[in-house]
Amino acid sequence: MTKTSKASKITAIVLSLVMFLGAFAIAGTATASAATDRVSLYSSSVSFSKYGGATYEVYVKTNDNANNQTVTIHYNYLDTMGWQDTTAAYVTSLNDGSKIWKASFSSFNCKYAIKYEADGRIIWDNNNGKDYTGSDVVGTAPVAVERLGYQYNTENYQINAVLQNYAYHKNVFVRYTTDGWKSYQDKALNYVQTNANGSETWSTKVNANGSDFQYAICYQVNGTEYWANNFGANYDFSYCIHH
C-alpha cells in the first residue's frame, strides 16, 4: 500500500468518526423539526390592531411525563431582525393527560417556531422548516375558532371554525347565548373551504345582539364529539372585533 493510499484511508476514517460523533451530539440535544407526539402546535389566533400591530395567542400541546418542562415561542417578523423568545405558561391538562401551554406576544405579521425543553433535551416544532404564521389556526387540535375582523352588524355576526378533516361526513354547529347561558341556541356551520394544510374552514352567521354573548363550537364526526370552548372560558366578541 502506498503512502498516498494510507493517508486517504486515515482521512476517511477520521471523517467517518467526526460524522458519527456529530450525529450523536445532535440526537442528544435537539430532535425533530415537525410536530411530534411530545410537542406540537395545538391552535393559535391572531388579532390585528388598526395601527398594524398584531397580538398572537399560541397554544402548544405537550405529551410528556417530565417534571421540568419549558415551552418557548421563538418568533420573528423580519429576516433582518433578531429573533425573540417568550415563555409559555401552563393552561390545563386534557383528558389524555397531555398538557396545554399558552404564549401571548405582540408583533407585526410574524413567523414562529416552538422550542420544548425537558429532561435535558431540546425538541423543536418549526412546521417542517416552514415556521408557523397567523394563518395556522389549527395545529393538532380537532377544532379551533378563527378570529375575524371588524363586524359592527351584530345581527349577522360571522363565526368561523377550522377543523381537522377526520371524515367526509361530519356535523359542525355553534352553541351560543346572549344572556349568560340562561338560554342558548344551536346553529349549523357550513363548509367553506379546504386549507393548504388539509384542515377545513366552516362558517355561519348568528344574531349576537345581547348583553352577554358567548359561544362554543361542536364538531361531531365518526361518533365522537369535539368541543372548542376556549378551555372552558368560551368565546366572546373579542374573537370578531380587533382592538
Side-chain angles (χ1 to χ4, degrees):
M1 181 180 294
T2 64
K3 292 183 179 180
T4 302
S5 59
K6 287 182 179 179
S8 299
K9 185 175 181 180
I10 293 172
T11 301
I13 293 173
V14 171
L15 288 174
S16 297
L17 181 59
V18 169
M19 293 175 65
F20 172 77
L21 292 175
F24 179 82
I26 292 172
T29 54
T31 61
S33 59
T36 69
D37 290 338
R38 295 188 68 181
V39 60
S40 62
L41 172 67
Y42 191 72
S43 64
S44 74
S45 67
V46 57
S47 58
F48 294 94
S49 75
K50 59 184 178 181
Y51 303 106
T55 299
Y56 288 76
E57 292 183 350
V58 177
Y59 291 90
V60 177
K61 177 182 176 181
T62 63
N63 189 12
D64 204 328
N65 293 323
N67 292 323
N68 298 317
Q69 301 182 32
T70 303
V71 177
T72 304
I73 303 300
H74 192 57
Y75 66 97
N76 182 18
Y77 74 93
L78 282 176
D79 289 335
T80 56
M81 302 290 289
W83 287 77
Q84 301 183 61
D85 290 334
T86 184
T87 302
Y90 170 80
V91 176
T92 189
S93 293
L94 303 181
N95 292 334
D96 62 0
S98 59
K99 298 178 177 63
I100 299 297
W101 307 74
K102 177 185 176 181
S104 299
F105 57 94
S106 296
S107 180
F108 294 95
N109 287 334
C110 76
K111 56 186 179 181
Y112 62 90
I114 300 166
K115 179 184 179 182
Y116 174 56
E117 299 173 82
D119 293 335
R121 299 183 65 193
I122 298 174
I123 301 175
W124 285 91
D125 174 11
N126 66 4
N127 197 18
N128 284 313
K130 297 179 293 183
D131 295 320
Y132 291 103
T133 68
S135 63
D136 294 296
V137 177
V138 67
T140 55
V143 56
V145 167
E146 181 180 17
R147 283 189 189 268
L148 300 175
Y150 287 101
Q151 298 183 59
Y152 296 108
N153 186 354
T154 58
E155 293 183 359
N156 290 288
Y157 170 35
Q158 184 173 332
I159 292 174
N160 279 14
V162 183
L163 51 92
Q164 308 288 352
N165 182 19
Y166 290 150
Y168 179 79
H169 296 287
K170 57 179 71 76
N171 183 44
V172 188
F173 66 88
V174 57
R175 175 164 294 177
Y176 67 99
T177 181
T178 57
D179 57 13
W181 298 108
K182 295 176 183 177
S183 63
Y184 65 83
Q185 299 182 59
D186 292 343
K187 187 173 183 180
L189 274 68
N190 299 309
Y191 170 83
V192 176
Q193 65 183 20
T194 298
N195 304 309
N197 62 0
S199 64
E200 294 180 350
T201 298
W202 289 59
S203 183
T204 193
K205 293 183 179 180
V206 301
N207 184 336
N209 190 14
S211 59
D212 191 358
F213 173 66
Q214 298 178 50
Y215 70 95
I217 298 293
C218 183
Y219 171 31
Q220 298 171 328
V221 62
N222 294 332
T224 302
E225 196 170 81
Y226 303 99
W227 282 90
N229 62 5
N230 199 17
F231 303 102
N234 297 316
Y235 298 98
D236 56 23
F237 280 120
S238 68
Y239 278 77
C240 77
I241 301 174
H242 295 331
H243 300 287

